[in-house]
Amino acid sequence: MTEGDTTMSEYHTRVVVPWFVKGMSRTTTDDAEEAAWNFIIEWLGQLRTLVGVPFPYIVPHEEMLPNDSIRFFHIDRNWIDAMIDGALSTGVLDSRGALADVDPEKRGELYIELMEALNEQELIMNPFRTALAAHDKARALNRSVFEDAVSIANQNFKQRVEQEISKIPEQQRSMSNAVMGVAKSEDSATTTSASKQKATSVQQTKSNTYLAGEDKENTKSPTQLEPMLSQNNHDFLKKQIEISRDVQSELTAKMSGILSQMTMIRGGLLTGFLMRSTIVRDYPGLEIQAYDAPECVGERREEGFDEGRAVDLIRVARLSETILLCIFNGVPTHLRMKEPSEGIRLGLEKQDKGGGKIDPKLYVKYKNRDGMIEDDKTIRISVRAGTGDVSVLRMRDFKFGNDWVNKSTTSVSIPNLEKGGFVATQLMQFPYQQDFVYDSIRQQPIIDSQNESIVNVDAIRVEDSSVINRPSSGGE
Amino acid sequence: MTIQPIPPSPDVGTIRYFDSIKPPLTQGKFLVETKQTFPTSVKGVNTNLPEEITKNEYIQIEGSPYQIDPLTIHSRTPPKNEQGVKVDLSIPKIVFQSKTLPWERKVNDEEHYDNCPWMSLLLIRDDEFENCCEILEGQKQYTIPGKGNSNIPFEIRVLSIKEGLLKNIGPTAHDLPYLAHALQVNPKDKELCGNDEDGIFSVIISNRLPSEINTKYHACLVSIEGHASSLPIEDAVQILTQDIEENPQMIEKQGQKIDLKVGLDHGVHRITSHPIQFPLHIPETFQSIQNLKSTDDVKLILLDYWTFNTGDGGDFESKIKAIKFRQSLADKDKVGDLDSLAGFSLEDGEQRTYEPALLGSDMDPDVTVNSFLYTDIVEHDGITRPCLYRGPCIAVPTYHDIKEEPYTNSDDARGLEPSTGLDVIHHSSAFELGRLLALSDPKFIETLSRWRRLRLKKKSLQLYRKNFLDKSHLSKKYDIESVDKLPLQSILQKAIVKETALPLKEVPPDLRFHNEVPLPPDGTTDDFLDKLSLERLQFDENTMLQENLRVQEAYTRGGQL
């Protein structure tokens, strides 16, 4: 499977991700009582993830979360239950109580039912995130099976969509493609005129590329716009939905083995952390990954950062300009916080020539299309004179160091970056990341490990609360 | 959107770069042609309508050239008002949520500018800014060169910059396409996941580095639309050719900073941790501020503006290293010292053991090991009493003890700590909070009331229907599921048919031909059937219609028997 394949993109966008999202969403209903109940569940589900809870209730003492600090926590579900009880208590006028039943036994059953529904609801507060996480987890569990299933389903999808396109009159077909986002043919993707947009993905060891091509040929002049909502296109849209549904069923069957392993824990321990730092304000989009791998400590700690062991993020929210709240479904043992990828630092290097002299040209180490640094090759960037400092760069020098456009690629559909995208790949610095492992705290730029301190594990102890509840006051 | 469809999110840890992403429709006028056809006759009646009507409408696609939505700005690097930005050859940039913004307009109509951004990020040193720049606030008129004078319905900001300075620090036309790009990241691990589903951002980078320590810099995002001629010309730009001498003063100053970072900088291809050591000023072809001041003003629309000061830290790495923990030493007081990991380890360079950074543990003042805070509560009698409270986020895991029924009021949720006799108010305060949150949302209150009403109504109806059917002679002829799902009328009709059809089964087929329709048995009186019409229950009309048809058919068949 080539991720750069546009049809793959089509398939992922239209079938795979919605398939996961669908699995996460609550079903809709025509029944008025059920619809109202669903709304109540959704609303109370927000309380489960502390939406709307004032900050002083969460952190009652300032010293519990000083400036520039991070604090980890468990969520006390009993506290949340009490809050939910309070919400349910509104408008109760008679002895049938909050859950509107005369029979106490029935009320108890309904309360349990409510709690179970909330256990589920708290996991799907952000269905898109949950779907992406499920997608990644499924792939990590058995990559070959996952990708084979997706690839086959993708081919079926593509073939059937193309069959439907062929039924549309010729003069309306191109607009159907454009409007419906139907996969462009491989042929159109291989054209590499300078007017096309190009993209690449740079990872540490491999590259992914994707053609976001705008076909000049397909670009309509104002007078060429065709009726977009013709009957044919409408029928095509309906047909496409049917095809998606069919292919999703096929996908479910093919991936049943993987899916059976993907049990989501409901109603288990919720944990999280609060971070108070200007990082939250200055670096929006902070990337947070948590993993549950208790045996991966000491020298084996890197093994713990594995996608298959990822702990689901339930909520990430900025409570204020400098306070970040993060809630996980489970108890992670490994936490990784990374500089936002979109805000990743772009920088150059200087060349020391000895004797207190510096080369007037700055440089970057050349990164090839696979994202690998070629140590023996650099791109030298001139600096403008006349500014009184060493600051203004001649950006077009990147053009002379760009070998990407001259290299043959592994896939004809993968284009090369030429301009700003290429510059970014060459200037990008590895993001800084902060790891927290339950037996240590380690700070590192990706792979070095020079600063590490051990956490006192003995201090993480469980003590049952000695608090007893008073007997019911009987509604005094 | 030229990306059709939006590409799937890349793997976590992967960034996908784009040279540019253009909007689906470029600036200009577009003709929308609508055509509708009509039938000449309907059921033999002439409609007197034309066979076809065509109408053309023009639409104008134009992004605002005067301002950008502040909400579209995702981040600025270095951050706004940041103090102590490390001088490390990092390039300032601005990241937009909008994936197409830099390419939505054009500098001018020349083909060269097709893939160029219409904006540029100028980085201006404070001394340059003070002498050669001015921000003009509240401008209501602005002339985009080549597009005539235009009155703007709102106020904009304009950067007035000396042409000499712009030629000195601005990008050339050849630099422009290299100063913008787009990228896509996996949004799964981000706060904005779900709001920005495709995870695609556009970026404008500056062509200038902040290179002087302890200096204020002004970052100005300006529109260069129509200003191609004001940009420096490639051939006229002079390049540094001589080796640069390091500034000993700078080395000394920054050497202190290197000490602070001992042992922390061992990244691969990572230059950002080592401060550069450039001289403050380079005499080569240096143009004095006085020379620049004498040139003409160029007025550029200011789309965004922020400042920062260089210094010895302030980047992501420095900030996250400043995260504070509490140190744990056996011979120290219960409440440990608070400092950063780096701060503690600098004492003697040895590895230390820390208390876990738990929210509300006994390492914090006035907090117990299981996160209870000793605090006060003002009772209803006005007397302040000590009590224990803890929030929903605590240092220890707890067993989820689901109650048999919800608390009925906050007193019900109040607890007592027997050894000290202190009130424990965390559940009661949570209860009150939940109540207040609910009361603050009218929609929730309304829905909760509606749900109770509907539930009680449903329960009452179920009871009524059950009693009603139990009293009838047809009580054995319906199944319990249909009582909840079907209207009474349908249940009764079906039951009547069943009951009347049953005796006929025993009649031999050859004797079944007679003209009489079997009547309902005794007890199914007109009075009884009249009651059916009094039922005003909610039911599905289609189901009702089908049921009626079925019953009518059954009766008809029965009649033919």
Side-chain angles (χ1 to χ4, degrees):
Chain A
M1 185 185 73
T2 308
E3 209 178 344
D5 188 339
T6 48
T7 56
M8 190 67 248
S9 312
E10 161 68 14
Y11 180 73
H12 258 89
T13 311
R14 295 193 172 270
V15 182
V16 179
V17 173
W19 179 66
F20 278 106
V21 173
K22 195 176 143 197
M24 305 296 154
S25 306
R26 291 187 75 79
T27 51
T28 53
T29 175
D30 293 332
D31 183 81
E33 187 211 341
E34 207 176 322
W37 179 247
N38 283 347
F39 177 83
I40 291 164
I41 302 264
E42 277 175 29
W43 197 93
L44 295 175
Q46 293 187 350
L47 295 188
R48 275 280 183 99
T49 53
L50 304 177
V51 174
V53 177
F55 185 68
Y57 279 81
I58 301 172
V59 181
H61 195 289
E62 193 184 350
E63 290 209 44
M64 288 166 72
L65 188 68
N67 279 329
D68 293 322
S69 69
I70 185 167
R71 294 290 180 262
F72 299 90
F73 59 77
H74 292 269
I75 284 190
D76 180 0
R77 284 186 178 277
N78 300 320
W79 195 100
I80 308 274
D81 285 357
M83 181 165 59
I84 286 166
D85 295 351
L88 285 173
S89 73
T90 49
V92 175
L93 297 172
D94 54 31
S95 60
R96 288 175 291 199
L99 296 171
D101 208 303
V102 184
D103 184 358
E105 201 175 315
K106 288 269 172 64
R107 286 205 298 265
E109 283 172 16
L110 191 57
Y111 191 57
I112 300 285
E113 193 187 315
L114 170 69
M115 289 296 144
E116 281 170 3
L118 289 176
N119 287 343
E120 197 171 316
Q121 180 62 30
E122 70 191 13
L123 302 179
I124 53 171
M125 290 302 293
N126 186 337
F128 188 73
R129 189 198 304 281
T130 317
L132 276 181
H135 174 275
D136 289 357
K137 202 170 273 187
R139 190 167 53 180
L141 276 170
N142 195 332
R143 193 159 188 131
S144 60
V145 170
F146 180 90
E147 289 183 352
D148 284 348
V150 168
S151 181
I152 291 166
N154 177 36
Q155 284 168 15
N156 293 343
F157 182 76
K158 186 184 167 195
Q159 278 173 6
R160 291 181 60 183
V161 167
E162 282 175 354
Q163 278 173 11
E164 291 304 318
I165 292 174
S166 67
K167 292 176 189 169
I168 298 174
E170 186 69 35
Q171 68 272 21
Q172 292 179 12
R173 203 174 295 167
S174 57
M175 185 50 74
S176 293
N177 284 344
V179 172
M180 305 307 169
V182 174
K184 287 189 174 119
S185 69
E186 298 273 345
D187 297 340
S188 68
T190 56
T191 315
T192 53
S193 76
S195 65
K196 289 189 174 168
Q197 300 158 25
K198 287 133 191 158
T200 191
S201 158
V202 174
Q203 208 174 14
Q204 289 168 43
T205 55
K206 67 166 196 171
S207 72
N208 292 318
T209 57
Y210 176 77
L211 174 69
E214 176 197 19
D215 273 325
K216 278 276 180 187
E217 298 84 346
N218 281 346
T219 308
K220 302 291 170 194
S221 69
T223 51
Q224 283 179 299
L225 286 173
E226 295 160 6
M228 294 169 77
L229 293 173
S230 69
Q231 186 59 40
N232 281 323
N233 276 327
H234 182 69
D235 292 345
F236 173 73
L237 179 63
K238 279 170 65 180
K239 196 71 194 171
Q240 202 187 28
I241 292 168
E242 279 175 31
I243 294 170
S244 290
R245 205 171 287 149
D246 291 348
V247 177
Q248 284 177 3
S249 304
E250 292 167 20
L251 193 67
T252 308
K254 287 193 179 71
M255 293 212 287
S256 57
I258 296 178
L259 296 174
S260 63
Q261 299 173 51
M262 290 177 59
T263 48
M264 287 182 83
I265 300 165
R266 290 175 170 82
L269 287 171
L270 292 184
T271 60
F273 70 82
L274 278 161
M275 185 162 81
R276 183 175 180 182
S277 166
T278 50
I279 288 174
V280 179
R281 180 194 60 208
D282 295 338
Y283 297 88
L286 200 64
E287 289 169 18
I288 296 148
Q289 291 139 17
Y291 306 87
D292 180 15
E295 75 281 11
C296 298
V297 292
E299 290 180 357
R300 288 185 60 207
R301 67 163 58 84
E302 275 303 319
E303 295 171 28
F305 296 98
D306 175 59
E307 196 55 39
R309 315 184 74 154
V311 177
D312 292 327
L313 258 175
I314 290 182
R315 187 178 171 215
V316 186
R318 258 188 285 184
L319 300 184
S320 75
E321 205 176 35
T322 57
I323 296 176
L324 184 78
L325 169 73
C326 205
I327 298 176
F328 304 108
N329 179 30
V331 187
T333 58
H334 293 54
L335 177 72
R336 178 163 282 176
M337 241 187 275
K338 270 201 295 197
E339 202 173 349
S341 299
E342 67 276 15
I344 200 168
R345 278 188 291 183
L346 305 176
L348 299 98
E349 296 187 56
K350 65 181 172 62
Q351 179 75 52
D352 287 320
K353 296 184 83 174
K357 302 260 184 183
I358 301 167
D359 192 292
K361 286 190 174 184
L362 303 175
Y363 74 95
V364 290
K365 286 178 181 166
Y366 182 75
K367 296 187 193 79
N368 62 24
R369 286 176 50 82
D370 295 327
M372 300 297 287
I373 295 167
E374 293 186 7
D375 282 330
D376 56 339
K377 198 171 173 185
T378 57
I379 301 175
R380 288 159 62 81
I381 309 297
S382 301
V383 179
R384 201 179 291 179
T387 58
D389 57 11
V390 184
S391 63
V392 182
L393 309 171
R394 189 164 72 174
M395 299 302 289
R396 74 185 185 108
D397 285 356
F398 280 97
K399 179 182 176 183
F400 306 118
N402 188 353
D403 276 357
W404 289 29
V405 286
N406 303 323
K407 291 272 171 69
S408 60
T409 62
T410 51
S411 165
V412 288
S413 66
I414 299 176
N416 291 298
L417 289 172
E418 287 180 6
K419 307 282 184 178
F422 174 75
V423 170
T425 61
Q426 300 305 307
L427 289 173
M428 63 180 274
Q429 306 289 302
F430 287 120
Y432 186 82
Q433 68 188 29
Q434 170 75 57
D435 287 348
F436 296 91
V437 181
Y438 79 96
D439 73 331
S440 66
I441 300 166
R442 194 166 65 136
Q443 294 175 316
Q444 59 173 19
I446 295 291
I447 55 169
D448 70 330
S449 58
Q450 293 297 312
N451 199 317
E452 181 177 306
S453 291
I454 303 298
V455 167
N456 179 10
V457 183
D458 293 339
I460 308 174
R461 55 192 162 181
V462 180
E463 286 204 3
D464 288 326
S465 167
S466 59
V467 174
I468 55 167
N469 268 13
R470 283 176 168 168
S472 172
S473 54
E476 283 173 17
Chain B
M1 185 63 223
T2 48
I3 303 178
Q4 279 290 7
I6 294 165
S9 300
D11 286 351
V12 170
T14 304
I15 306 171
R16 179 178 291 134
Y17 284 106
F18 304 81
D19 274 338
S20 62
I21 300 177
K22 284 187 178 173
L25 293 177
T26 51
Q27 287 179 76
K29 266 190 175 178
F30 289 81
L31 174 67
V32 179
E33 186 181 293
T34 53
K35 194 184 286 180
Q36 188 170 12
T37 54
F38 298 96
T40 49
S41 66
V42 177
K43 292 181 180 175
V45 180
N46 197 344
T47 57
N48 292 325
L49 288 170
E51 198 169 309
E52 187 178 282
I53 292 179
T54 306
K55 192 165 185 182
N56 295 337
E57 288 286 344
Y58 282 92
I59 54 170
Q60 177 94 23
I61 303 292
E62 189 177 22
S64 172
Y66 303 112
Q67 63 179 20
I68 55 173
D69 179 0
L71 292 178
T72 199
I73 297 172
H74 177 71
S75 65
R76 303 171 181 89
T77 307
K80 197 172 185 176
N81 300 327
E82 185 70 3
Q83 303 298 310
V85 173
K86 196 188 287 182
V87 179
D88 58 1
L89 297 177
S90 288
I91 296 179
K93 63 177 179 177
I94 184 165
V95 182
F96 302 109
Q97 295 275 4
S98 162
K99 55 185 89 62
T100 57
L101 183 62
W103 303 279
E104 284 176 5
R105 301 189 66 82
K106 282 176 70 175
V107 177
N108 66 27
D109 291 333
E110 289 174 33
E111 194 181 343
H112 168 77
Y113 293 104
D114 280 352
N115 289 313
C116 290
W118 61 283
M119 46 177 71
S120 176
L121 184 60
L122 301 178
L123 188 68
I124 306 169
R125 222 172 40 223
D126 195 42
D127 57 329
E128 296 166 344
F129 193 87
E130 288 297 318
N131 291 289
C132 304
C133 299
E134 186 186 358
I135 293 177
L136 309 172
E137 300 278 357
Q139 301 295 301
K140 294 205 79 171
Q141 280 202 330
Y142 183 82
T143 305
I144 297 176
K147 298 206 171 179
N149 194 20
S150 70
N151 293 317
I152 309 160
F154 46 83
E155 294 183 346
I156 63 167
R157 283 190 299 179
V158 171
L159 174 72
S160 173
I161 182 171
K162 294 292 178 189
E163 191 175 10
L165 180 62
L166 184 61
K167 297 267 189 207
N168 237 8
I169 63 166
T172 65
H174 288 87
D175 287 339
L176 275 180
Y178 298 95
L179 294 172
H181 62 271
L183 55 84
Q184 187 184 20
V185 298
N186 191 317
K188 186 187 78 176
D189 304 320
K190 290 178 173 290
E191 178 197 348
L192 290 173
C193 182
N195 299 330
D196 181 33
E197 294 187 356
D198 54 15
I200 303 179
F201 301 87
S202 59
V203 183
I204 294 281
I205 66 174
S206 174
N207 64 326
R208 191 180 194 189
L209 308 162
S211 59
E212 291 191 10
I213 199 165
N214 297 328
T215 303
K216 185 177 182 181
Y217 279 90
H218 302 255
C220 304
L221 182 72
V222 293
S223 165
I224 49 173
E225 188 176 356
H227 287 284
S229 60
S230 301
L231 298 177
I233 300 161
E234 190 65 44
D235 295 339
V237 167
Q238 291 187 45
I239 298 299
L240 282 179
T241 52
Q242 294 173 10
D243 288 347
I244 306 158
E245 288 192 16
E246 288 180 314
N247 183 340
Q249 188 187 357
M250 186 84 88
I251 294 169
E252 189 183 342
K253 195 181 284 181
Q254 295 185 340
Q256 294 166 3
K257 194 173 71 168
I258 291 169
D259 282 342
L260 289 172
K261 304 291 176 193
V262 166
L264 295 180
D265 304 312
H266 291 265
V268 173
H269 180 59
R270 183 171 179 78
I271 48 86
T272 52
S273 298
H274 297 290
I276 60 165
Q277 296 135 21
F278 286 137
L280 286 172
H281 288 287
I282 297 167
E284 183 181 13
T285 64
F286 175 60
Q287 290 197 32
S288 72
I289 295 289
Q290 291 307 319
N291 286 345
L292 299 176
K293 273 177 83 171
S294 61
T295 57
D296 294 337
D297 288 331
V298 178
K299 289 190 167 53
L300 303 170
I301 295 166
L302 189 59
L303 302 168
D304 191 49
Y305 167 71
W306 78 99
T307 62
F308 58 89
N309 282 292
T310 53
D312 56 356
D315 59 348
F316 183 86
E317 185 180 334
S318 310
K319 285 183 175 181
I320 207 153
K321 280 176 178 168
I323 293 288
K324 292 188 178 75
F325 298 89
R326 287 195 188 274
Q327 192 179 19
S328 170
L329 290 174
D331 55 351
K332 278 212 166 188
D333 292 336
K334 222 178 181 185
V335 178
D337 294 338
L338 189 64
D339 199 356
S340 70
L341 194 65
F344 280 137
S345 60
L346 275 178
E347 285 181 10
D348 52 17
E350 288 180 4
Q351 198 169 66
R352 292 293 176 87
T353 302
Y354 297 87
E355 285 298 311
L358 297 171
L359 184 74
S361 70
D362 56 351
M363 294 296 287
D364 296 322
D366 293 334
V367 181
T368 67
V369 71
N370 50 2
S371 303
F372 280 104
L373 176 72
Y374 184 79
T375 183
D376 294 326
I377 182 173
V378 181
E379 297 278 12
H380 62 277
D381 53 9
I383 298 172
T384 302
R385 293 189 176 89
C387 67
L388 293 172
Y389 170 82
R390 74 176 180 191
C393 302
I394 55 176
V396 293
T398 51
Y399 175 69
H400 186 200
D401 186 15
I402 301 176
K403 302 182 292 297
E404 287 181 3
E405 272 200 73
Y407 292 128
T408 50
N409 56 45
S410 58
D411 279 346
D412 205 14
R414 201 154 163 167
L416 182 73
E417 207 287 304
S419 61
T420 58
L422 288 171
D423 278 329
V424 183
I425 61 161
H426 62 313
H427 282 188
S428 50
S429 56
F431 183 94
E432 280 301 314
L433 174 66
R435 203 172 63 85
L436 292 170
L437 287 173
L439 288 169
S440 66
D441 187 344
K443 193 179 176 192
F444 175 74
I445 297 294
E446 192 218 333
T447 310
L448 187 62
S449 304
R450 190 169 69 242
W451 171 75
R452 284 195 190 119
R453 200 172 57 245
L454 289 169
R455 182 177 159 76
L456 289 172
K457 187 178 174 188
K458 193 185 259 185
K459 288 271 174 193
S460 308
L461 278 172
Q462 276 175 351
L463 194 65
Y464 165 74
R465 289 151 72 94
K466 193 170 176 302
N467 290 342
F468 188 85
L469 291 167
D470 282 349
K471 282 177 193 168
S472 77
H473 288 270
L474 305 167
S475 56
K476 306 294 178 201
K477 303 292 181 279
Y478 62 88
D479 57 84
I480 198 75
E481 281 186 14
S482 60
V483 176
D484 286 342
K485 290 179 183 169
L486 295 176
L488 264 183
Q489 194 172 355
S490 298
I491 297 167
L492 287 167
Q493 283 174 336
K494 279 171 76 178
I496 289 167
V497 171
K498 275 186 185 175
E499 191 139 330
T500 52
L502 266 178
L504 290 172
K505 276 187 181 174
E506 292 162 13
V507 180
D510 55 331
L511 297 177
R512 286 185 192 172
F513 292 96
H514 55 84
N515 294 326
E516 285 181 9
V517 176
L519 291 170
D522 291 341
T524 314
T525 60
D526 286 345
D527 179 45
F528 172 74
L529 291 171
D530 282 342
K531 281 186 181 175
L532 296 181
S533 61
L534 297 175
E535 287 287 333
R536 290 292 181 265
L537 307 175
Q538 283 186 328
F539 59 87
D540 182 68
E541 281 185 8
N542 283 332
T543 314
M544 179 66 196
L545 190 63
Q546 284 169 9
E547 283 300 317
N548 281 342
L549 285 171
R550 280 178 57 193
V551 170
Q552 280 169 18
E553 263 180 41
Y555 265 99
T556 311
R557 273 205 310 276
Q560 285 170 349
L561 283 174

